[in-house]
């Protein structure tokens, strides 16, 4: 009996050992998994704001957390509120660890200046300096923003702006004052970096439009044509083939400049003193703008809108607006293009109070609104409408009239997403003969 008892005891111990080994084999490590979420949904902010960040962690109960900003530990809770006063990009990381291992997630927060994102409306002024109005994405308005940031005035008859490499270039037809013919600002703070008055005096004749390929490769349209300005040497060169360039906005696509001359769009390549190509149309060109895919939209006075390949200068297709809308594509004295686009949907108003929408792919044109039906004191439409490239809302500038009546004016914002047009915002009495509406997002 003792022998049998020993055998059973040994077998029991062996079975227990096997059971213990089996349990060890079934153990599965619980590594943490972590992601970073923004309470607001965004990772971009002004220096006066803050962003609440949350660590979303699996097995949080058994995990230790550590927050890092640019490699420096700043917290150990599941929630961290990020603040920063200096502009720039900040790397945010969260490290989650437990007895089985660790996991990490990271994100980038952009702390940007007041003017990095939003909408600008430039005004020519009336026997006075030009002005610039800024509307933030939240609808907050800063009137005469250049003066606010610099304590001086832009040049007389400010007409156009362009943003490149975080610099804003503003051209003023008459120059003078604090800004000159060309003013270069920090695009986030609007602080002036340089102005060009004496350097351009006698070399340009009432410049109206500007585009930039590089800091030493600036193109100005004036009474003689399109001129290349090189700040490093002060040299100004008339681009051969641009004589008679229309007083209208130029476009940049595929690293080239596109300007309008009568029935053509001329192509200017960096560093060259003559046009490198010409694209012909059936009638006077009334607008050339960059398309969403990097190509070009071109409108002409015949009522035709054409898609152009910016690399090859070939026409990719054309679409004709309705007979009713045809007149708003005429080559008028407006300084802004006759067309504005979001995707393949284009809007146009010309110098009328009527805003039309044309869908390129379906050749469909619709009258969206007569601004006079929703906005008071729309007497004169000053330059053309402009569609916001993100929200799709259409901005429309108008004044009550000439004389002292120009002081009664509207920046009207229309939303066409519903069955009926909606006036989503109306900013009264901020402009003085508005030359154009510019969205920072179009320069990204």
């Amino acid at each position: 009996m003792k022998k049998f008892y020993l055998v059973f005891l040994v077998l029991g111990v062996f079975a227990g050992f096997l059971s213990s080994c089996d349990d060890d084999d079934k153990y599965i490590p619980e590594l943490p998994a972590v992601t970073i979420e923004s309470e607001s949904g965004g990772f971009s902010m002004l220096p006066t704001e803050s962003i609440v960040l949350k660590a979303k962690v699996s097995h949080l109960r058994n995990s230790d957390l550590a927050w890092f900003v640019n490699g420096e530990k700043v917290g150990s809770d599941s929630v961290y509120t990020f603040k920063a006063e200096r502009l720039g990009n900040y790397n945010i990381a969260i490290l989650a660890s437990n007895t089985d291992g660790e996991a990490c997630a990271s994100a980038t927060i952009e702390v940007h200046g007041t003017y990095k994102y939003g909408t600008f409306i430039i005004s020519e002024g009336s026997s006075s300096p030009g002005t610039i109005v800024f509307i933030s994405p939240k609808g907050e308005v800063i009137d005469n923003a250049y003066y606010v940031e610099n304590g001086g005035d832009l040049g007389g008859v400010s007409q156009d702006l362009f943003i490149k490499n975080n610099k804003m270039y503003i051209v003023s037809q008459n120059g003078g004052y604090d800004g000159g013919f060309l003013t270069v600002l920090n695009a986030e703070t609007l602080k002036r970096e340089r102005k060009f008055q004496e350097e351009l005096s006698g070399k340009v004749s009432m410049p109206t439009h500007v585009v930039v390929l590089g800091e030493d490769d600036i193109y100005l349209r004036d009474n003689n044509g399109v001129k290349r300005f090189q700040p490093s040497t002060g040299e100004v060169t008339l681009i051969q083939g641009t004589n008679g360039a229309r007083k209208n906005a130029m476009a940049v696509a595929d690293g080239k400049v596109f300007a309008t001359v009568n029935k053509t769009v001329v192509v200017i390549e960096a560093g060259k003193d003559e046009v490198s190509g010409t694209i012909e149309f059936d009638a006077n060109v009334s607008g050339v703008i960059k398309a969403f895919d990097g190509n070009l939209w071109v409108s002409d006075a015949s009522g035709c809108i054409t898609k152009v390949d910016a690399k090859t200068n070939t026409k990719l297709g054309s679409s004709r607006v309705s007979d009713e809308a045809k007149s708003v594509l005429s080559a008028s004295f407006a300084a802004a293009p006759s067309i504005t686009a979001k995707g393949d949907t284009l809007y146009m108003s010309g110098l009328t109070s009527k805003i039309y929408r044309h869908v390129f792919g379906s050749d469909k044109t619709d009258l969206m609104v007569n601004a006079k039906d929703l906005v008071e004191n729309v007497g004169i439409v000053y330059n053309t409408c402009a569609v916001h490239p993100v929200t799709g809302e259409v901005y429309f500038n108008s004044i009550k009239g000439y004389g002292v009546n120009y002081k009664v004016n509207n920046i009207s914002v229309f939303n066409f997403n519903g069955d009926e047009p909606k006036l989503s915002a109306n900013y009264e009495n901020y402009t003085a003969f508005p030359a154009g509406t510019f969205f920072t997002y179009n320069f990204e």
Side-chain angles (χ1 to χ4, degrees):
M1 289 292 294
K2 290 182 178 179
K3 289 182 180 180
F4 283 118
Y5 177 77
L6 288 173
V7 170
F8 283 121
L9 181 63
V10 171
L11 288 175
V13 171
F14 183 67
F17 174 76
L18 289 177
S19 176
S20 175
C21 289
D22 188 53
D23 289 342
D24 289 340
D25 289 341
K26 289 182 179 179
Y27 176 74
I28 301 175
E30 292 186 340
L31 291 170
V34 60
T35 57
I36 297 175
E37 294 183 349
S38 165
E39 188 176 74
S40 65
F43 290 87
S44 181
M45 56 177 264
L46 294 168
T48 56
E49 299 174 334
S50 62
I51 294 179
V52 177
L53 301 171
K54 296 181 179 180
K56 187 176 181 181
V57 189
S58 62
H59 315 305
L60 177 60
R61 184 179 302 174
N62 301 318
S63 299
D64 295 320
L65 300 177
W67 289 95
F68 297 86
V69 176
N70 289 345
E72 180 181 348
K73 186 176 179 179
V74 294
S76 57
D77 201 352
S78 62
V79 178
Y80 172 68
T81 300
F82 174 82
K83 298 179 180 179
E85 295 182 356
R86 299 182 65 178
L87 304 185
N89 291 328
Y90 293 78
N91 178 263
I92 311 298
I94 180 72
L95 178 69
S97 58
N98 60 22
T99 55
D100 291 322
E102 59 186 28
C104 182
S106 64
T108 299
I109 291 182
E110 178 194 37
V111 181
H112 60 82
T114 301
Y115 305 97
K116 180 70 178 288
Y117 302 106
T119 304
F120 291 96
I121 293 93
I122 283 186
S123 288
E124 299 173 354
S126 175
S127 302
S128 60
T131 60
I132 183 166
V133 173
F134 176 74
I135 304 175
S136 78
K138 296 180 180 179
E140 300 163 338
V141 180
I142 299 178
D143 190 15
N144 204 351
Y146 179 83
Y147 186 89
V148 169
E149 301 300 336
N150 297 282
D153 294 309
L154 283 170
V157 192
S158 296
Q159 200 94 60
D160 190 25
L161 72 75
F162 193 86
I163 299 173
K164 175 79 172 180
N165 294 334
N166 209 38
K167 296 181 185 296
M168 179 183 290
Y169 300 79
I170 300 178
V171 65
S172 299
Q173 191 167 298
N174 293 346
Y177 300 99
D178 186 57
F181 290 114
L182 180 66
T183 312
V184 184
L185 316 175
N186 180 293
E188 293 192 45
T189 66
L190 247 57
K191 297 295 184 183
R192 192 188 73 186
E193 296 185 356
R194 295 191 70 179
K195 74 170 184 177
F196 299 97
Q197 178 67 27
E198 293 78 11
E199 297 90 338
L200 291 172
S201 183
K203 298 179 181 179
V204 294
S205 174
M206 303 184 74
T208 61
H209 293 84
V210 58
V211 291
V212 179
L213 296 183
E215 288 190 18
D216 208 35
D217 208 12
I218 301 170
Y219 294 84
L220 302 169
R221 180 270 165 205
D222 74 357
N223 285 341
N224 299 310
V226 178
K227 295 178 177 178
R228 181 189 181 210
F229 173 45
Q230 296 172 272
S232 64
T233 63
E235 186 176 0
V236 177
T237 306
L238 175 65
I239 306 298
Q240 299 301 313
T242 65
N243 302 73
R246 183 167 170 254
K247 184 181 176 181
N248 203 261
M250 298 176 284
V252 171
D254 192 43
K256 296 175 287 190
V257 175
F258 297 84
T260 60
V261 180
N262 298 321
K263 296 182 178 181
T264 67
V265 171
V266 296
V267 186
I268 305 168
E269 295 183 357
K272 294 188 177 180
D273 296 338
E274 61 181 14
V275 300
S276 58
T278 301
I279 310 167
E280 301 284 344
F281 295 87
D282 294 333
N284 286 338
V285 176
S286 59
V288 54
I289 61 174
K290 185 178 179 180
F292 64 97
D293 58 1
N295 290 310
L296 298 167
W297 295 114
V298 180
S299 62
D300 66 53
S302 72
C304 193
I305 299 173
T306 303
K307 187 78 169 289
V308 176
D309 189 312
K311 291 184 179 296
T312 64
N313 302 337
T314 56
K315 297 177 181 178
L316 301 175
S318 295
S319 180
R320 192 168 295 279
V321 304
S322 66
D323 290 340
E324 179 187 356
K326 177 182 174 181
S327 62
V328 301
L329 291 185
S330 64
S332 66
F333 64 81
S338 290
I339 51 173
T340 178
K342 182 180 187 300
D344 71 343
T345 301
L346 298 102
Y347 294 87
M348 63 212 80
S349 65
L351 298 176
T352 77
S353 59
K354 296 179 179 180
I355 300 176
Y356 294 89
R357 181 175 67 191
H358 182 77
V359 181
F360 187 82
S362 62
D363 292 326
K364 181 175 172 53
T365 308
D366 292 299
L367 172 64
M368 303 309 295
V369 72
N370 186 332
K372 292 182 177 181
D373 294 338
L374 298 181
V375 183
E376 292 184 3
N377 298 314
V378 178
I380 298 173
V381 177
Y382 218 82
N383 275 293
T384 59
C385 65
V387 62
H388 195 293
V390 177
T391 68
E393 293 181 314
V394 176
Y395 286 62
F396 186 83
N397 295 315
S398 62
I399 63 177
K400 184 176 181 179
Y402 292 115
V404 296
N405 283 329
Y406 82 88
K407 296 181 180 180
V408 179
N409 55 74
N410 295 280
I411 304 169
S412 305
V413 184
F414 294 99
N415 187 309
F416 299 129
N417 289 334
D419 294 333
E420 297 293 331
K422 176 184 176 183
L423 184 66
S424 55
N426 194 64
Y427 307 97
E428 297 181 349
N429 306 328
Y430 283 103
T431 68
F433 300 108
T437 302
F438 304 86
F439 306 103
T440 58
Y441 312 96
N442 279 333
F443 299 98
E444 294 177 349

